[in-house]
Amino acid sequence: MYFRMPREFGGALLPLPVDEGSKEFAWQYDACLAKLRKRQVDANPPEPPKPRPKLARFPDGSIGRAIELYRASNAFKDLKPSTQHLYIGRLDKMKEQIGADPLREVDRDAAERFAELIYDESGSAQMSDLYVTLLGNIWKCVRKDEQFGIRKLPNPTIEIERKHRESDNQPHLRWPDELNDRFDDTAPANLVLARQVLHFTVQRGGDAVRMKWTDYDGKGVKVWPEKTTKKGRVVEPNYHLLPRVLIRALDAAKKTATSDHILVNVHGNRWATRRSLAQSIKAHLVKIGARKPKQKKGYTAHGLRHTGASEAAELPGASLKGIQSLTGHKSDRQPLWYIEQADQKKVNAAMVAAWSDELDRKEAEREKRRRAQRKALLKVVR
């Protein structure tokens, strides 16, 4: 069995395992496809992105000028790089839409109108709330600057009701056992290990891709949680004991490991980002028919974290602190959601069982009355 490269790339024959249904075949075939895609990209490199046009300097006292000061402030610089990247595009959009308006004239009504405009354009309550948050951050940052004249004015965003509530937040879908088995039976070895690590460590993808073999001691793993650690703060890692099924998988993978990192891509190198890992898992889910290519909701890599937490919440004696010790959540909201879902499942099972017993009792009584009636009828006939 061979994988033939197109003639424009030399027409080389790359050997493949004979068994087309084996994991080794799927792994080697995916590697050949990746090599072909790389050569295609090298032959036809994408055009470099066009530089953003420079925005005109805004006058003193304007919202645009306030945004510039916020971007240069320590409050903005102390944010994590990923948060800064998210904010920058939104701040530029604010400059384009309302940058020339005086900040002093932004009252609660004006802030709500802007939030409604964003909601109408994006259709996202979360995006609308993000702009309200940014406007509040900007206001607090330049409040004492005399050019804006807002020192004695109230922050217009304080009393604005957010469109996106915590109750609207639905976690990623939990993977059923059948999907876990089908994924492990068809995916290459590196993705199978990634699924097991995400599932049984109950960690976020960004933390999982940074795990090294030196963090694993045969019983547990050290985790430096990026999301809940303040930027620039040096902290001791969280130590998580691991279930035996994952310990066996890690011990087996460690014998043939070629990288310092536990999770690697098809080429044996560490994943560049959590998104790269998530996209590869998504691609395989599409390949086995577990989700559609452009499906917005469905089974995801992050759903494995919810799968592990949900399974732990259903264990006897599961508690809020126990779930938090696994997931690393600082707030109670999400761990409480896992516990409530598990409790609801247990209560539902108990109620259905009791209902079934009651229905069986009533059916037995009806059958008893029918026998009595038939017996009485036979006496009359005789």
Side-chain angles (χ1 to χ4, degrees), residues 1-2 15-26 28:
M1 298 289 291
Y2 293 91
L16 295 171
V18 177
D19 186 2
E20 296 184 44
S22 66
K23 291 184 179 180
E24 290 76 12
F25 182 91
Q28 188 65 27

mmCIF file of all heavy atoms in Angstrom, residues 1-2 15-26 28:
data_model
loop_
_atom_site.group_PDB
_atom_site.id
_atom_site.type_symbol
_atom_site.label_atom_id
_atom_site.label_comp_id
_atom_site.label_asym_id
_atom_site.label_seq_id
_atom_site.Cartn_x
_atom_site.Cartn_y
_atom_site.Cartn_z
ATOM 1 N N MET A 1 0.842 -1.181 0.000
ATOM 2 C CA MET A 1 0.000 0.000 0.000
ATOM 3 C C MET A 1 0.887 1.245 0.000
ATOM 4 O O MET A 1 1.851 1.322 0.782
ATOM 5 C CB MET A 1 -0.903 0.017 1.242
ATOM 6 C CG MET A 1 -1.879 -1.139 1.331
ATOM 7 S SD MET A 1 -3.203 -1.000 0.105
ATOM 8 C CE MET A 1 -4.081 0.401 0.754
ATOM 9 N N TYR A 2 0.571 2.194 -0.886
ATOM 10 C CA TYR A 2 1.371 3.406 -0.994
ATOM 11 C C TYR A 2 0.460 4.619 -1.129
ATOM 12 O O TYR A 2 -0.665 4.531 -1.627
ATOM 13 C CB TYR A 2 2.303 3.356 -2.207
ATOM 14 C CG TYR A 2 3.387 2.316 -2.092
ATOM 15 C CD1 TYR A 2 3.189 1.025 -2.573
ATOM 16 C CD2 TYR A 2 4.607 2.620 -1.493
ATOM 17 C CE1 TYR A 2 4.172 0.049 -2.459
ATOM 18 C CE2 TYR A 2 5.603 1.657 -1.381
ATOM 19 C CZ TYR A 2 5.381 0.380 -1.860
ATOM 20 O OH TYR A 2 6.352 -0.559 -1.740
ATOM 21 N N PRO A 15 5.140 4.680 1.645
ATOM 22 C CA PRO A 15 4.576 3.391 2.081
ATOM 23 C C PRO A 15 3.546 3.567 3.190
ATOM 24 O O PRO A 15 3.665 4.435 4.053
ATOM 25 C CB PRO A 15 5.808 2.621 2.574
ATOM 26 C CG PRO A 15 6.795 3.681 2.937
ATOM 27 C CD PRO A 15 6.567 4.802 1.980
ATOM 28 N N LEU A 16 2.518 2.684 3.131
ATOM 29 C CA LEU A 16 1.454 2.663 4.145
ATOM 30 C C LEU A 16 1.320 1.246 4.678
ATOM 31 O O LEU A 16 1.641 0.276 3.980
ATOM 32 C CB LEU A 16 0.113 3.106 3.535
ATOM 33 C CG LEU A 16 0.006 4.543 3.043
ATOM 34 C CD1 LEU A 16 -1.301 4.726 2.269
ATOM 35 C CD2 LEU A 16 0.064 5.512 4.206
ATOM 36 N N PRO A 17 0.838 1.093 5.919
ATOM 37 C CA PRO A 17 0.573 -0.261 6.436
ATOM 38 C C PRO A 17 -0.453 -0.984 5.578
ATOM 39 O O PRO A 17 -1.332 -0.369 4.953
ATOM 40 C CB PRO A 17 0.030 0.008 7.848
ATOM 41 C CG PRO A 17 0.567 1.353 8.211
ATOM 42 C CD PRO A 17 0.615 2.129 6.939
ATOM 43 N N VAL A 18 -0.371 -2.300 5.537
ATOM 44 C CA VAL A 18 -1.253 -3.093 4.682
ATOM 45 C C VAL A 18 -2.679 -3.093 5.191
ATOM 46 O O VAL A 18 -3.637 -3.033 4.412
ATOM 47 C CB VAL A 18 -0.719 -4.545 4.579
ATOM 48 C CG1 VAL A 18 -1.672 -5.401 3.741
ATOM 49 C CG2 VAL A 18 0.674 -4.551 3.980
ATOM 50 N N ASP A 19 -2.865 -3.117 6.500
ATOM 51 C CA ASP A 19 -4.198 -3.192 7.100
ATOM 52 C C ASP A 19 -4.843 -1.815 7.089
ATOM 53 O O ASP A 19 -4.502 -0.941 7.884
ATOM 54 C CB ASP A 19 -4.103 -3.717 8.539
ATOM 55 C CG ASP A 19 -5.481 -3.939 9.152
ATOM 56 O OD1 ASP A 19 -6.492 -3.719 8.447
ATOM 57 O OD2 ASP A 19 -5.540 -4.324 10.341
ATOM 58 N N GLU A 20 -5.804 -1.608 6.173
ATOM 59 C CA GLU A 20 -6.438 -0.301 6.055
ATOM 60 C C GLU A 20 -7.298 0.048 7.260
ATOM 61 O O GLU A 20 -7.611 1.214 7.483
ATOM 62 C CB GLU A 20 -7.312 -0.251 4.792
ATOM 63 C CG GLU A 20 -6.526 -0.391 3.507
ATOM 64 C CD GLU A 20 -7.425 -0.242 2.294
ATOM 65 O OE1 GLU A 20 -8.267 0.672 2.297
ATOM 66 O OE2 GLU A 20 -7.298 -1.051 1.358
ATOM 67 N N GLY A 21 -7.717 -0.919 8.038
ATOM 68 C CA GLY A 21 -8.573 -0.646 9.188
ATOM 69 C C GLY A 21 -7.807 -0.420 10.473
ATOM 70 O O GLY A 21 -8.424 -0.175 11.518
ATOM 71 N N SER A 22 -6.482 -0.461 10.435
ATOM 72 C CA SER A 22 -5.676 -0.324 11.652
ATOM 73 C C SER A 22 -5.459 1.147 11.990
ATOM 74 O O SER A 22 -5.554 2.032 11.139
ATOM 75 C CB SER A 22 -4.329 -1.009 11.474
ATOM 76 O OG SER A 22 -3.568 -0.344 10.481
ATOM 77 N N LYS A 23 -5.121 1.392 13.260
ATOM 78 C CA LYS A 23 -4.819 2.749 13.696
ATOM 79 C C LYS A 23 -3.532 3.240 13.036
ATOM 80 O O LYS A 23 -3.399 4.426 12.710
ATOM 81 C CB LYS A 23 -4.668 2.792 15.219
ATOM 82 C CG LYS A 23 -5.961 2.557 15.992
ATOM 83 C CD LYS A 23 -5.731 2.704 17.482
ATOM 84 C CE LYS A 23 -7.023 2.488 18.258
ATOM 85 N NZ LYS A 23 -6.822 2.627 19.725
ATOM 86 N N GLU A 24 -2.584 2.318 12.846
ATOM 87 C CA GLU A 24 -1.322 2.695 12.231
ATOM 88 C C GLU A 24 -1.543 3.220 10.814
ATOM 89 O O GLU A 24 -0.908 4.189 10.384
ATOM 90 C CB GLU A 24 -0.356 1.501 12.206
ATOM 91 C CG GLU A 24 0.179 1.098 13.578
ATOM 92 C CD GLU A 24 -0.863 0.339 14.396
ATOM 93 O OE1 GLU A 24 -1.902 -0.068 13.820
ATOM 94 O OE2 GLU A 24 -0.644 0.171 15.616
ATOM 95 N N PHE A 25 -2.469 2.560 10.074
ATOM 96 C CA PHE A 25 -2.770 3.027 8.718
ATOM 97 C C PHE A 25 -3.359 4.437 8.748
ATOM 98 O O PHE A 25 -2.945 5.318 7.988
ATOM 99 C CB PHE A 25 -3.746 2.071 8.039
ATOM 100 C CG PHE A 25 -4.080 2.457 6.612
ATOM 101 C CD1 PHE A 25 -3.341 1.963 5.549
ATOM 102 C CD2 PHE A 25 -5.131 3.323 6.346
ATOM 103 C CE1 PHE A 25 -3.638 2.332 4.239
ATOM 104 C CE2 PHE A 25 -5.432 3.699 5.047
ATOM 105 C CZ PHE A 25 -4.684 3.198 3.995
ATOM 106 N N ALA A 26 -4.350 4.646 9.651
ATOM 107 C CA ALA A 26 -4.994 5.958 9.741
ATOM 108 C C ALA A 26 -3.981 7.032 10.126
ATOM 109 O O ALA A 26 -3.980 8.143 9.578
ATOM 110 C CB ALA A 26 -6.138 5.915 10.764
ATOM 111 N N GLN A 28 -0.617 6.999 9.656
ATOM 112 C CA GLN A 28 0.335 7.247 8.576
ATOM 113 C C GLN A 28 -0.340 7.971 7.409
ATOM 114 O O GLN A 28 0.268 8.860 6.794
ATOM 115 C CB GLN A 28 0.930 5.910 8.099
ATOM 116 C CG GLN A 28 2.071 6.050 7.107
ATOM 117 C CD GLN A 28 3.281 6.720 7.725
ATOM 118 O OE1 GLN A 28 3.476 6.645 8.925
ATOM 119 N NE2 GLN A 28 4.085 7.384 6.919
#
